[in-house]
Amino acid sequence: MDKTTSGEKRRGREGYGAQNEKDGIFGQVAFAPLTVSPIFLMQLLSHKDNNFDFLRIAAAFGVLVSHQFSLTGRPEPVMLGVSLGGFCVLVFFAISGFLVAGSWMHDPSAWRFAVRRLLRIWPGLLVACVLVVLVLGPMVSQLGLREYFASPLTWNYLSQLSFWEFKSQLPGVFAGNPISESANGSLWTIPFEIRCYLALMVVGVLGLMRRNFLLPLAFVVFAIWFFFLFKTGYDQPIRMQLQMGVVFFCAAAMYQLRALWQSRRPWIWLAAIAAILLLWHGGMPEIAYTLGVPVIAVLFGTGSLPVLKRAGRFGDVSYGLYIYAYPVQQTVIWLSDNRLPFGWGLGLATLITTILAWFSWKLIEQPALRLKNRL
C-alpha cells in the first residue's frame, strides 16, 4: 500500500497495511470452518489483484483534504451527512475489519495477532510522535525551549504511544492558527482502532469465528442495540466510537460470509445501493451510511480495476499520510499566517506529507514489518 518482501506476501499485512485478499478467491471457501492449504493461503494473501491499496490511499488523502478546510477555518465538506474526514475514517475502519478478520482466520494465535498489529502501527507512530515533540514542537511554539520542555503537556503528548488515550495538545504551538496548540488531531482514531483489534481477538479466542455464522449473528445483535436501543447522541464521543465498532465488525462479518456474496457481486452491488437509498430516503440516514460504508468499501476493495489495483506499487504510504498530514498542514498554515490561497496550501501540504509518508514506509514501517517473518 510492488512493496513487500516475499515473507510479507506470505504472511500478509494487517490494519492500515493489511494483507489484501485476491479477487476471485473468496468464492472457493466453503460456508463452514475454514481449513486452508498453503497454496490456497498464498493466493489468498496476494494483494496485487484488488483495489484495497487504492482505497486506503484515497481515504488518507480524503482526510487530508477535509482537514485542510477545518485547519484554515472553513467548514469541512460533507458526505452522506458526515464530514469528508469522518467518512474516510469509517472507510479505514471498514478495510481494517475485513482484512484483520482474515488475518485471524489464517492464523488464530492471540499473541502473533497482537504482535502483528503492534508492528504495523507502533513503529511509525513512535517516530511521528517523537519528531513532533522533539523537533517540530520547539520550532513552532511561542514558548522558549526551557519552558516548552518543562511543560507537562510536552511529555503527556507521548502517552498516546500506549494506544489507550489521545493527546494532541502541545504548549504554545501554532499560535495564531485557527486551531492552535493542536499538533496532530488525526491520531484520535488510533486508540479506538486498537480496541476494535482487541475486541476481534477476544471474539476469536472465544471461538465465535470457528463457525461462519456466529460472528455475523453477534454483529446483528450489536447493530440492533446500537441503532435502536442505545440512546446516547453524537454529542457524546462514545456514540462515534461505537459507530466505528459497528463499521469494523460489519466488514468482519462480510469476511465471514464471503462465500455467500463473492460469486454474486453484481447483484450484491445492486442490492446494497438500493438498500442504502431506501434507508436514506426512508428516514434512517445513520443506518444507511454506517452500514453502507463497510459494504461498499468491501465490495469495491475486493474488486480489481486495471489501474487502481496497482496504486500501492511504490509503497504503502497510507498510514504515513494519515499520521503526518495534520502537523504538516498546521505548519504550512502557521508559516504562511494562513494567507496562502487554499489550493496552494493544500498542494504544498500534500507534497510534503507524501514525501514524509514515503520515507516513513521505506525507513520505518517496511523494516518493522519484516520482523513478522520471525513469528
Side-chain angles (χ1 to χ4, degrees):
M1 224 196 82
D2 188 301
K3 58 191 184 292
T4 59
T5 65
S6 60
E8 288 164 18
K9 292 176 183 177
R10 183 171 62 253
R11 296 181 182 271
R13 299 190 313 279
E14 296 78 26
Y16 283 100
Q19 71 215 28
N20 290 337
E21 312 217 33
K22 189 172 181 178
D23 188 33
I25 293 295
F26 306 120
Q28 301 178 23
V29 183
F31 188 62
L34 299 181
T35 301
V36 185
S37 71
I39 294 176
F40 176 87
L41 183 58
M42 291 183 69
Q43 288 179 312
L44 195 62
L45 298 185
S46 172
H47 68 277
K48 290 184 178 181
D49 295 325
N50 60 53
N51 303 324
F52 276 120
D53 281 342
F54 171 81
L55 194 57
R56 277 195 292 266
I57 293 171
F61 277 121
V63 172
L64 186 157
V65 171
S66 191
H67 282 167
Q68 189 69 19
F69 283 86
S70 61
L71 292 175
T72 55
R74 298 172 171 88
E76 294 185 59
V78 174
M79 288 189 66
L80 299 178
V82 297
S83 70
L84 173 61
F87 178 87
C88 292
V89 165
L90 293 182
V91 171
F92 275 128
F93 273 77
I95 297 170
S96 291
F98 185 81
L99 296 174
V100 173
S103 172
W104 177 268
M105 292 302 298
H106 303 150
D107 182 11
S109 163
W111 81 271
R112 284 195 296 270
F113 180 87
V115 171
R116 285 168 182 156
R117 305 286 80 69
L118 185 68
L119 288 174
R120 184 61 190 102
I121 293 181
W122 199 76
L125 181 65
L126 171 65
V127 173
C129 287
V130 169
L131 286 176
V132 166
V133 168
L134 300 184
V135 180
L136 180 63
M139 295 171 61
V140 299
S141 176
Q142 63 182 350
L143 303 182
L145 283 177
R146 180 174 296 179
E147 189 177 359
Y148 172 83
F149 285 112
S151 172
L153 288 176
T154 301
W155 305 110
N156 284 344
Y157 184 88
L158 296 176
S159 65
Q160 61 193 328
L161 292 172
S162 68
F163 292 142
W164 199 250
E165 57 183 342
F166 160 67
K167 301 288 185 181
S168 182
Q169 188 178 11
L170 282 176
V173 300
F174 303 124
N177 281 14
I179 301 178
S180 60
E181 293 202 340
S182 178
N184 201 340
S186 295
L187 302 185
W188 72 274
T189 65
I190 291 180
F192 306 122
E193 181 147 5
I194 295 298
R195 289 166 196 176
C196 286
Y197 293 162
L198 292 174
L200 183 72
M201 185 173 70
V202 170
V203 166
V205 169
L206 292 177
L208 295 182
M209 298 180 72
R210 294 175 185 170
R211 295 291 186 270
N212 289 352
F213 68 89
L214 290 178
L215 177 59
L217 181 61
F219 163 73
V220 169
V221 173
F222 176 37
I224 291 174
W225 173 80
F226 174 78
F227 290 123
F228 300 109
L229 301 177
F230 185 66
K231 300 302 183 182
T232 301
Y234 284 100
D235 57 327
Q236 299 296 320
I238 186 64
R239 182 80 186 186
M240 184 172 290
Q241 296 165 19
L242 288 171
Q243 182 190 41
M244 293 174 180
V246 171
V247 170
F248 182 93
F249 279 99
C250 179
M254 287 188 69
Y255 181 86
Q256 290 291 90
L257 298 175
R258 62 202 181 280
L260 296 182
W261 58 262
Q262 180 63 17
S263 61
R264 304 175 178 88
R265 295 175 62 85
W267 295 109
I268 299 300
W269 267 107
L270 290 174
I273 293 172
I276 292 169
L277 292 175
L278 285 173
L279 288 167
W280 187 270
H281 293 290
M284 293 182 281
E286 182 188 27
I287 299 177
Y289 71 77
T290 303
L291 299 183
V293 167
V295 171
I296 297 301
V298 168
L299 289 174
F300 180 82
T302 54
S304 181
L305 296 177
V307 176
L308 302 189
K309 69 182 182 180
R310 302 187 65 227
R313 63 189 181 276
F314 298 117
D316 182 359
V317 298
S318 62
Y319 185 48
L321 289 172
Y322 190 79
I323 61 177
Y324 282 104
Y326 194 103
V328 168
Q329 290 171 281
Q330 283 281 64
T331 302
V332 170
I333 294 166
W334 182 75
L335 289 173
S336 65
D337 199 24
N338 200 20
R339 293 179 180 177
L340 277 179
F342 181 85
W344 282 98
L346 175 61
L348 182 58
T350 300
L351 176 62
I352 297 171
T353 301
T354 302
I355 293 171
L356 289 174
W358 187 83
F359 276 109
S360 177
W361 168 251
K362 286 294 183 181
L363 301 180
I364 308 300
E365 299 164 52
Q366 190 178 46
L369 289 173
R370 293 195 183 106
L371 298 176
K372 289 183 178 183
N373 300 333
R374 302 181 183 182
L375 297 179

